[in-house]
Amino acid sequence: MKLGGYANRVARVDLSSGEIAYEEINEEDARLYIGARGLGVKYLFDNGPTVESDSPDNMLAFMNGPLTGSQATMSGRLAVVTKSPLTQTITDSHIGGWSAARLRWSGFDGLLFVGKSDKPVYAYVEDGTVELRPADDLWGEGVHSTVEKLRDRYGSPLSVMTIGQAGENGVRFASIINEDDRAAGRGGTGAVAGFKNLKAVVIKAEEAMPRPQDREKWRTAHQRALKTILDSEVLAPRTGGLSIYGTNVLMNPVNALGGVGVRNSQETQYDAAEKISGETVRETLLSSDPTCHACPVACKIEVEIKDGPYAGLKMESLEYEPAWALGANCDNDDPRVIAKLIDQCNDYGMDAIELGNVISMYMEATQREYVTGAGLGWGDTEGMVETAEQIALRSGIGDQLAEGTTRGADKFGHPEIAMAVKGQAVPAYDPRALKGEALGYATSNRGACHLRGYTPASEVLGIPVKTDPLAWEGKGELLKIFQDLHAFSDSLDLCKFSAFSEGAEEYAAQYEALVGQPITADEVMTVGERVYNLERHYNNLCGFDGSDDSLPERYLTETGSGPASESVVELDEMKAEYYAARGWEDGVVPNSKLRALEIIS
Amino acid sequence: MVEVKFYATLRELIDGNKSVSVEGAVTVSGLLENLIERYPNLQGGIFDEDGNIRSFVAVMVNGRDIRHLEGIDTALQGGDTLDIFPPVAGGSQSESMATSVSIRGLPEWLIREYFVELGGAVPDKTQPLNQIVSDRWSVTWSQQKVKIKGSSGMGLTQFDIVIEGTHESPQQIMELFMKKAQRGGG
Ligand code: SF4
């Protein structure tokens, strides 16, 4: 392959036979889909969209982009792509830290796992080779002790991406954790690894950044991108809101909009929001603010608990999403308990957003007396910690809740209390208060998700242009632009937060200089659109259509609180506008569109 | 308080001012009534004989045309900004037309670079920093710090950008600029 930047090497690992084949990257695919999310989805698509998520045929892809591990700011990311056991759609979940960079430095753009090992194994990656090694002694261990054992065994510089007990036990929202506390959180990638008996991917590599094809251009492109970050009022190291407070800087502003769901979205404004906000956490619990490869922003929030039942716990990262899901959403206003629960998620390997929602669903079932037995009351923090453990170990009620929010509520006979779309639970922006997010959740290709198209940038912060969060008109076009832009940055793979300060031009310039392939800002948006449509096409072939682009009834019929007190979601109107912007027919990509985007010929 | 900015020929109708502040208006229609009381000449500049907003007058609330909101019933909040553009008169090539947008999240130097990339002249030292001129259009902006509601820790700089076209549609330049200025987040 002529394109620069890439390692041009992918390992295809058949866990059933133990065979490992090394491949080059198809140049045409690399041009069309770039890498990471885009190329990962293409590999999954070529593997057949109709494979069952829990069959050996399902593929689990760890994919870097051409910028991963380079000098590019915020480039320490990879995408884990698979068919989700939670949603049965395509899913991709990204991790930061250093594992992605080390995977690139070890000589790989990606690792593709198929098949199923008959015994627990881990993949050991070094110097352009992959070996499967027995993991019997690691099976049953949590993430923290697995990482520790592997560090003792191999020394540094080492990265470990591993599952905990949740993945082993087939918890449908199990995640893969990278270096103790950075999660490929959503979509149940950890359950797929667990099903395959793949405990971990271990990478040993010294820094070896890929060289740009055009050094002169690279200097300019890199400097400009970096300068936008350093001058960003959101990102700037030690002065930007995200750098100082982490993502939880959003708790108060979103609450002011009436967008913080309380008690399983029965209300949308939390009177104790301040107590769990980024501001309070910084004042009372913060111990340090770690970062990822090549990132001066350092948005991670490491905390140390000094008192109460979890005194002594040191963990990262106390983010907005889990602070909402495990806090306001469950009427838990104690940030120390939130920290404990996040750490449980990191150690068992579970998605904190789904955990918060499955627990709040269980709490509402208790409130409405749908459960036999004592159930779990609002704000019962000890009970939450216990329930989290039961879920990871699939013991007691945990076995039912380990199936996820939608399936868990079905078993209570009350699907209406599941705040989920396509089987995946909602994130921390109540759809009644942010209409762009409402549409984003409904139409996301991986189930409810705030990261496909992050409209709060516009609806909360006014970046780049302020839109009225309660208005639905225009959100279809807005969401499409956000989704396409993110699909591109996810394919490079740069941290999502880069988009607060960088746009299509900055991405184009960096890609062009590093890869040596000309690309315009318009083409960046077209690639993003192509990736988004390939995902949608994959889902269409699995049987998904417009009827699956839905929202829980609650958001359509029950109003919220505060500024959202008269608001419900105008879903049909928004979907019509969005499909028109996308050129889809009732949620299905027509062949003409697939051809125009070069997805099919 | 709401700030209302006027462009081109409309400025003559408000005693040559560029903008007016209005207190206490809760909808666009209430605000327009209030303005017409103060500047009766505006009546004919904005409304036709039937009392409807004239067809080429654009009223924007926070950068959005009220035709895409709730028309003259669009609700207003303190801190909102309105832009009112006159119809493009006579089809004369040199008639200035204008369009505006409010942008956050971008540093000023990047806004300047983007307009230079779109054909603006590289500013020399004598020019104001908030202006880029080409032989087909010109752009100026003002800046203000906006607080993010509910947040103690975060404020953002907003650039209120006005493009005036002399030989080219300002909307077209705006569209190209917005492609560059598009951002996301996560
Ligand atoms: S902004 Fe935060 S998550 Fe993104 S690369 Fe930097 S430290 Fe990591």
Side-chain angles (χ1 to χ4, degrees), chain A residues 73-77 95-98 182 229 235 242-243 246-247 289-300 319 494-498 500:
Chain A
T73 309
M74 300 190 185
S75 64
R77 296 188 81 86
I95 52 178
W98 281 264
R182 308 290 176 82
I229 290 169
L235 303 172
L242 187 74
S243 179
T247 51
D289 43 7
T291 191
C292 303
H293 162 72
C295 183
V297 177
C299 75
K300 303 289 107 187
E319 306 278 344
L494 293 183
C495 173
K496 276 247 154 60
F497 300 142
S498 66
F500 279 123

Coordinates of all heavy atoms in Angstrom, one line a residue, chain A residues 73-77 95-98 182 229 235 242-243 246-247 289-300 319 494-498 500, ligand 1:
Chain A
T73 N -1.9 15.8 18.3 CA -2.5 16.0 19.6 C -3.7 15.1 19.8 O -4.6 15.1 18.9 CB -2.8 17.5 19.8 OG1 -1.6 18.2 19.5 CG2 -3.1 17.7 21.3
M74 N -3.9 14.5 20.9 CA -5.0 13.6 21.3 C -5.1 12.4 20.4 O -6.2 11.9 20.0 CB -6.4 14.4 21.1 CG -6.5 15.6 22.0 SD -8.2 16.2 22.0 CE -8.1 17.7 22.9
S75 N -4.0 11.8 20.0 CA -4.1 10.7 19.0 C -3.9 9.3 19.7 O -3.5 8.4 19.0 CB -3.0 10.9 17.9 OG -1.7 10.9 18.5
G76 N -4.1 9.2 21.0 CA -3.9 8.0 21.7 C -5.1 7.1 21.7 O -5.5 6.6 22.7
R77 N -5.8 6.9 20.5 CA -7.1 6.3 20.6 C -7.2 5.2 19.5 O -6.7 5.2 18.4 CB -8.2 7.3 20.4 CG -8.2 8.3 21.5 CD -9.4 9.2 21.5 NE -10.6 8.6 22.0 CZ -11.0 8.6 23.3 NH1 -10.2 9.1 24.2 NH2 -12.1 8.0 23.7
I95 N -11.1 3.8 23.1 CA -10.4 4.0 24.4 C -9.2 4.9 24.2 O -8.6 5.0 23.1 CB -9.9 2.7 24.9 CG1 -9.1 1.9 23.9 CG2 -11.0 1.8 25.5 CD1 -8.6 0.6 24.4
G96 N -9.0 5.7 25.3 CA -7.8 6.5 25.3 C -6.7 5.9 26.0 O -6.6 4.6 26.1
G97 N -5.9 6.6 26.7 CA -4.7 6.1 27.4 C -3.5 5.9 26.5 O -3.3 6.8 25.6
W98 N -2.8 4.8 26.6 CA -1.6 4.6 25.7 C -1.7 3.3 24.9 O -0.8 3.0 24.1 CB -0.4 4.6 26.6 CG 0.1 6.0 26.9 CD1 1.0 6.8 26.2 CD2 -0.4 6.8 27.9 NE1 1.1 8.0 26.8 CE2 0.2 8.1 27.9 CE3 -1.4 6.6 29.0 CZ2 0.0 9.1 28.7 CZ3 -1.6 7.7 29.8 CH2 -1.0 8.9 29.7
R182 N -9.4 3.1 31.8 CA -10.0 3.7 30.6 C -10.8 2.6 29.9 O -10.2 1.6 29.6 CB -8.8 4.2 29.7 CG -7.8 5.1 30.5 CD -8.4 6.4 30.9 NE -7.5 7.2 31.6 CZ -6.5 8.0 31.1 NH1 -6.4 8.0 29.8 NH2 -5.7 8.7 31.9
I229 N -6.2 24.1 20.1 CA -6.5 23.5 21.4 C -6.0 24.3 22.6 O -6.7 24.6 23.6 CB -5.9 22.0 21.5 CG1 -6.6 21.1 20.6 CG2 -5.9 21.5 22.9 CD1 -5.9 19.8 20.3
L235 N -10.9 23.7 26.1 CA -9.8 22.7 26.3 C -8.5 23.2 26.9 O -7.7 22.4 27.4 CB -9.5 22.1 24.9 CG -10.6 21.5 24.1 CD1 -10.2 21.1 22.7 CD2 -11.1 20.2 24.8
L242 N -13.0 22.0 30.5 CA -12.8 20.5 30.5 C -11.5 20.1 31.1 O -11.4 19.1 31.7 CB -12.8 20.1 29.0 CG -12.8 18.6 28.8 CD1 -14.2 18.0 29.1 CD2 -12.5 18.2 27.4
S243 N -10.5 21.0 31.0 CA -9.2 20.6 31.5 C -9.2 20.7 33.1 O -8.7 19.9 33.8 CB -8.1 21.6 31.0 OG -6.8 21.2 31.6
G246 N -12.9 18.4 34.1 CA -13.3 17.2 33.4 C -14.6 17.4 32.8 O -15.3 18.5 32.9
T247 N -15.2 16.3 32.3 CA -16.5 16.4 31.6 C -17.6 16.8 32.6 O -18.6 17.3 32.1 CB -16.8 15.0 31.0 OG1 -16.7 14.0 32.0 CG2 -15.9 14.7 29.8
D289 N -4.9 15.0 37.9 CA -5.6 15.0 36.6 C -4.8 14.4 35.5 O -4.0 15.1 34.8 CB -6.1 16.4 36.2 CG -5.0 17.5 36.5 OD1 -3.9 17.1 36.8 OD2 -5.3 18.7 36.3
P290 N -4.9 13.1 35.3 CA -4.1 12.4 34.4 C -4.5 12.7 32.9 O -5.5 13.3 32.7 CB -4.4 10.9 34.7 CG -5.0 10.9 36.0 CD -5.7 12.2 36.1
T291 N -3.7 12.2 32.0 CA -3.9 12.5 30.6 C -3.8 11.2 29.7 O -3.8 10.1 30.2 CB -3.0 13.6 30.1 OG1 -3.4 14.0 28.8 CG2 -1.5 13.1 30.0
C292 N -3.8 11.4 28.4 CA -3.6 10.3 27.5 C -2.4 10.6 26.6 O -1.9 11.7 26.7 CB -4.8 10.2 26.5 SG -6.4 9.9 27.3
H293 N -2.0 9.7 25.7 CA -0.9 9.9 24.8 C -1.1 11.2 24.1 O -2.1 11.5 23.5 CB -0.8 8.8 23.8 CG 0.0 9.1 22.6 ND1 1.3 9.2 22.6 CD2 -0.4 9.4 21.3 CE1 1.7 9.6 21.4 NE2 0.7 9.7 20.6
A294 N 0.0 12.0 24.0 CA 0.0 13.3 23.2 C -1.1 14.2 23.5 O -1.7 14.8 22.6 CB 0.1 12.9 21.7
C295 N -1.5 14.4 24.8 CA -2.6 15.3 25.1 C -2.2 16.3 26.2 O -2.0 15.8 27.3 CB -3.9 14.6 25.4 SG -5.2 15.8 25.6
P296 N -2.2 17.6 25.9 CA -1.9 18.5 27.0 C -3.2 18.9 27.8 O -3.0 19.6 28.8 CB -1.5 19.8 26.2 CG -2.2 19.7 24.9 CD -2.4 18.2 24.6
V297 N -4.3 18.4 27.4 CA -5.6 18.8 28.1 C -5.7 18.2 29.4 O -6.1 18.8 30.4 CB -6.8 18.5 27.2 CG1 -8.1 18.9 27.9 CG2 -6.7 19.3 25.9
A298 N -5.4 16.9 29.5 CA -5.4 16.2 30.8 C -6.8 16.3 31.5 O -6.9 16.9 32.6 CB -4.3 16.6 31.7
C299 N -7.8 15.8 30.8 CA -9.2 16.0 31.3 C -9.6 15.0 32.4 O -10.6 15.1 32.9 CB -10.2 16.0 30.2 SG -10.5 14.4 29.5
K300 N -8.7 14.0 32.6 CA -9.2 12.9 33.5 C -9.1 13.4 35.0 O -8.3 14.2 35.3 CB -8.3 11.7 33.4 CG -8.2 11.1 31.9 CD -9.5 10.5 31.5 CE -10.2 11.3 30.5 NZ -11.5 10.7 30.2
E319 N -16.3 11.2 35.8 CA -16.8 11.9 34.6 C -18.3 12.3 34.7 O -19.0 11.7 35.6 CB -16.7 11.0 33.4 CG -15.3 10.4 33.1 CD -14.4 11.3 32.4 OE1 -14.9 12.3 31.8 OE2 -13.1 11.1 32.5
L494 N -8.8 10.5 16.5 CA -8.5 11.5 17.5 C -9.6 11.5 18.5 O -10.7 11.2 18.2 CB -8.4 12.9 16.8 CG -7.2 13.1 15.8 CD1 -7.2 14.5 15.3 CD2 -5.9 12.7 16.5
C495 N -9.2 11.9 19.7 CA -10.2 12.0 20.8 C -11.3 12.9 20.4 O -11.1 14.0 19.7 CB -9.5 12.6 22.0 SG -10.6 13.0 23.4
K496 N -12.5 12.5 20.7 CA -13.7 13.3 20.4 C -13.6 14.8 20.8 O -14.2 15.7 20.1 CB -14.9 12.7 21.1 CG -15.6 11.6 20.4 CD -17.0 11.9 19.9 CE -17.3 11.1 18.7 NZ -17.3 9.7 18.9
F497 N -12.9 15.0 21.9 CA -12.9 16.4 22.4 C -12.1 17.3 21.5 O -12.2 18.5 21.6 CB -12.3 16.4 23.8 CG -13.1 15.6 24.8 CD1 -12.4 14.9 25.8 CD2 -14.4 15.6 24.8 CE1 -13.1 14.1 26.7 CE2 -15.2 14.9 25.7 CZ -14.5 14.1 26.7
S498 N -11.3 16.7 20.6 CA -10.6 17.6 19.6 C -11.6 18.4 18.8 O -11.3 19.5 18.4 CB -9.8 16.7 18.7 OG -10.6 15.9 17.8
F500 N -14.0 20.1 19.8 CA -14.4 21.4 20.4 C -13.6 22.5 19.7 O -14.0 23.6 19.7 CB -14.2 21.4 21.9 CG -15.2 20.7 22.7 CD1 -15.0 19.7 23.5 CD2 -16.6 21.2 22.6 CE1 -16.0 19.0 24.3 CE2 -17.6 20.6 23.4 CZ -17.3 19.5 24.2
Ligands
SF4_1 S1 -8.9 15.4 26.1 FE1 -9.0 14.0 27.8 S2 -9.8 12.0 27.0 FE2 -9.1 13.3 25.2 S3 -7.0 12.7 24.8 FE3 -6.9 14.4 26.3 S4 -6.9 13.5 28.3 FE4 -7.5 11.9 26.9

